Amino acid sequence: MKPFTYERAASPAEAAAAAARTRGARFIAGGTNLLDLMKLQIETPPHLIDVNGVGLDKIEQTTDGGLRIGALVRNTDLAADERVRRDYGVLSRALLAGASGQLRNQATTAGNLLQRTRCPYFYDTNQPCNKRQPGSGCGAIGGYSRHHAIMGTSDACIATHPSDMAVAMRVLDASVETVRSNGSSRVIPIADFHRLPGSTPHVENALEHGELITAVTLPRPAGGTHVYRKVRDRASYAFALVSVAAIVQQDGSGRIALGGVAHKPWRMEAAESDMPRGARAVTSRLLGDARTTQDNAFKVLLVERTLASILNKA
């Protein structure tokens, strides 16, 4: 790990201003992703700003009947919250499907959204990676790609977003609240928060330099049956080959978002109109433009079968 300086912020505005003063500065809370990457010298921030003391660790009811989740709420606490379990079951299930119990105790809501979109080639510093070193190429393209993306890919990157929580947030139409380095705030719809790789896969989200996530807001409950189904190579502590977050109403309508298939949580609202027609119709719309390889072509059928199982149960 390379040397770095460190400070503790007392407020969100102070943290954002501190980040703007130092090029390459990073916020740290749980550190479950950042510290690993620093140890491998994939991430080398010169300055860390500890935000654990800025008071963003509460879950509160909003005036319109939704929930406001502080950026520092730990994944374990969020999954266990009675209101989340009752009204946003897909979120609780997604959180419990992620990482391990020890990591969930430490990981935060904002940190989960901000974890790097990555693949094994990103970790291997002997391989080219446009996310790690822009313009160096992508070792995964033409390499072993069983776990890689089939939607929204580019000639620069085919990595998949690893978060389970973000897939549930996408199906719930969450919003991300932030504070900028000048003290102003804004709200980013979750649909616009994560980016597809294009020619700049190292730019993974819509945040500006120094901008700090303060909360994630959920709209009022949508009702229906909430399901999160994660298919992976082993029973725990593994990224999804594919995952499906679904909210299904009694008439067969609903919402669907996918994980494990793209550089960000994948949702196409237009495909949801086909839900009463069954899993094959929905999958055809969701993954109709899939760019597969010999290694990961199975993901299209795996999504269809996983979705069929969910719809039959719901």
Side-chain angles (χ1 to χ4, degrees):
M1 185 182 292
K2 292 191 174 182
F4 57 89
T5 53
Y6 170 88
E7 69 175 292
R8 292 179 180 174
S11 70
E14 181 182 309
R21 287 195 298 267
T22 305
R23 184 175 180 84
R26 298 291 300 274
F27 302 117
I28 186 166
T32 56
N33 185 211
L34 178 59
L35 287 178
D36 282 346
L37 298 178
M38 289 175 67
K39 291 173 184 177
L40 295 170
Q41 295 189 14
I42 294 172
E43 293 272 9
T44 56
H47 186 63
L48 293 183
I49 302 161
D50 189 333
V51 295
N52 283 295
V54 301
L56 301 175
D57 58 353
K58 295 179 176 60
I59 305 173
E60 302 169 309
Q61 204 82 25
T62 62
T63 55
D64 63 353
L67 282 183
R68 186 175 187 270
I69 303 160
L72 296 174
V73 173
R74 308 292 160 165
N75 285 181
T76 295
D77 296 331
L78 183 57
D81 187 89
E82 181 181 354
R83 295 160 294 185
V84 174
R85 294 174 62 192
R86 180 187 66 231
D87 298 327
Y88 306 96
V90 65
L91 176 58
S92 182
R93 292 179 175 89
L95 285 162
L96 293 174
S100 65
Q102 294 93 328
L103 287 174
R104 291 195 297 269
N105 288 341
Q106 189 72 6
T108 64
T109 299
N112 196 310
L113 288 177
L114 290 173
Q115 61 181 303
R116 296 296 306 270
T117 301
R118 57 200 189 271
C119 78
Y121 293 89
F122 173 77
Y123 282 107
D124 186 351
T125 55
N126 293 313
Q127 296 285 340
C129 176
N130 289 314
K131 299 179 75 63
R132 193 178 63 244
Q133 185 178 353
S136 64
C138 175
I141 296 176
Y144 183 64
S145 54
R146 183 170 184 268
H147 287 80
H148 288 75
I150 60 175
M151 297 299 298
T153 60
S154 74
D155 292 336
C157 183
I158 59 172
T160 56
H161 195 275
S163 173
D164 295 286
M165 185 197 78
V167 181
M169 292 292 192
R170 180 68 180 90
V171 86
L172 289 167
D173 286 326
S175 297
V176 181
E177 299 179 9
T178 72
V179 61
R180 293 182 170 111
S181 58
N182 63 4
S184 64
S185 60
R186 66 168 172 155
V187 177
I188 307 170
I190 193 71
D192 300 327
F193 184 78
H194 295 105
R195 293 185 173 181
L196 293 177
S199 60
T200 56
H202 59 290
V203 181
E204 297 177 347
N205 56 64
L207 294 180
E208 300 170 359
H209 175 60
E211 192 169 8
L212 175 71
I213 295 175
T214 55
V216 176
T217 304
L218 303 178
R220 61 185 304 152
T225 300
H226 289 223
V227 182
Y228 186 78
R229 188 73 54 82
K230 181 178 183 179
V231 184
R232 47 190 163 177
D233 284 329
R234 57 178 185 264
S236 66
Y237 199 56
F239 292 153
L241 288 170
V242 303
S243 63
V244 180
I247 301 175
V248 187
Q249 306 296 340
Q250 287 187 342
D251 62 1
S253 65
R255 309 175 189 173
I256 295 169
L258 304 179
V261 300
H263 200 263
K264 66 176 187 176
W266 191 255
R267 184 181 175 195
M268 293 178 61
E269 284 84 343
E272 294 166 359
S273 62
D274 288 327
M275 285 180 64
R277 296 175 54 206
R280 181 167 296 179
V282 177
T283 303
S284 178
R285 293 281 292 275
L286 272 174
L287 304 181
D289 296 325
R291 294 174 60 184
T292 63
T293 68
Q294 183 177 353
D295 298 324
N296 65 20
F298 72 93
K299 287 191 175 190
V300 176
L301 183 58
L302 187 57
V303 166
E304 180 183 325
R305 291 179 174 177
T306 303
L307 181 55
S309 174
I310 288 173
L311 294 179
N312 288 336
K313 182 178 180 180

